[in-house]
Amino acid sequence: MSVHVPTSAVLQKLLSEAPPGHVSVGWIMERLEERSFGLLMFMLAVIALVPGLSTFIGVLFAVPAYQMIVARRSPALPKIATARRLPTPQFVRAVDRIAPLLRRAETLIRPRWPQSFRTTKRMVGIAILLLGLTLVLPVPFGHILPAFVIMIVALAYLEEDGVVLWLGLALALVSLSLSAAAGWGAVAGVKWLDRL
């Protein structure tokens, strides 16, 4: 039986190996090993917090989401996506902001309800797909909550915690409801301005 390595330790190893100029999505994927969907979703969500990148990342989430829906064992991204680069200093800053919270979360998140991952994989894929679409919406700070929810779902996969997975799915429903309300409010506002 393999020893479970905390996600914070995996991220710290990524930072120590990061090249000085840029990191690419492909570079991150090469180092995922067995973490596959969980670490990919987590790292994409971290990158989505960087201003200006959430739209691209939101579209990119469609790839692993679809692969979860069709029950692939591990994700694969197109070359145009794996070649996308992020300046290493920005990548380091983003991970440094998340790492302390992640270490605290790991004191609570632990392997529980492993059957949840087998029965909900397609459901999780649909939730990630919809959350990714909300990252594309041009709403100020509208990318923060969906990215945070994706991180929670990803952490559940990384730490094999079915309880946190169900919590993440509940928060996904809240996030999607808020995004729908914001979209409806924007459309109603435009119609109201047209009547003036």
Side-chain angles (χ1 to χ4, degrees), residues 1 4 104-120 152-153 155-168:
M1 184 175 179
H4 181 76
R104 284 198 288 271
E106 287 166 351
T107 63
L108 300 173
I109 302 172
R110 59 187 185 277
R112 290 178 288 191
W113 293 5
Q115 69 277 8
S116 298
F117 299 94
R118 292 189 293 273
T119 59
T120 63
I152 290 176
V153 173
L155 280 173
Y157 266 82
L158 290 168
E159 305 302 325
E160 302 168 9
D161 193 333
V163 174
V164 173
L165 177 64
W166 283 105
L167 173 64

Side-chain angles (χ1 to χ4, degrees), residues 50-141:
V50 177
L53 292 179
S54 61
T55 298
F56 172 76
I57 297 299
V59 173
L60 192 54
F61 266 121
V63 178
Y66 171 76
Q67 292 171 353
M68 292 184 81
I69 292 169
V70 298
R72 279 184 59 110
R73 292 191 62 180
S74 61
L77 297 175
K79 189 172 183 179
I80 190 171
T82 58
R84 183 76 176 196
R85 299 193 304 172
L86 173 70
T88 298
Q90 279 191 335
F91 174 71
V92 170
R93 282 196 298 272
V95 173
D96 281 345
R97 288 192 195 111
I98 296 299
L101 297 173
L102 188 55
R103 281 191 288 271
R104 284 198 288 271
E106 287 166 351
T107 63
L108 300 173
I109 302 172
R110 59 187 185 277
R112 290 178 288 191
W113 293 5
Q115 69 277 8
S116 298
F117 299 94
R118 292 189 293 273
T119 59
T120 63
K121 190 169 187 177
R122 287 182 172 85
M123 185 190 309
V124 170
I126 292 169
I128 297 299
L129 178 64
L130 295 175
L131 289 167
L133 290 176
T134 64
L135 288 171
V136 178
L137 297 176
V139 178
F141 305 108

Side-chain angles (χ1 to χ4, degrees), residues 186-196:
V187 170
V190 169
K191 288 182 179 178
W192 180 78
L193 288 174
D194 283 343
R195 287 197 295 267
L196 292 181

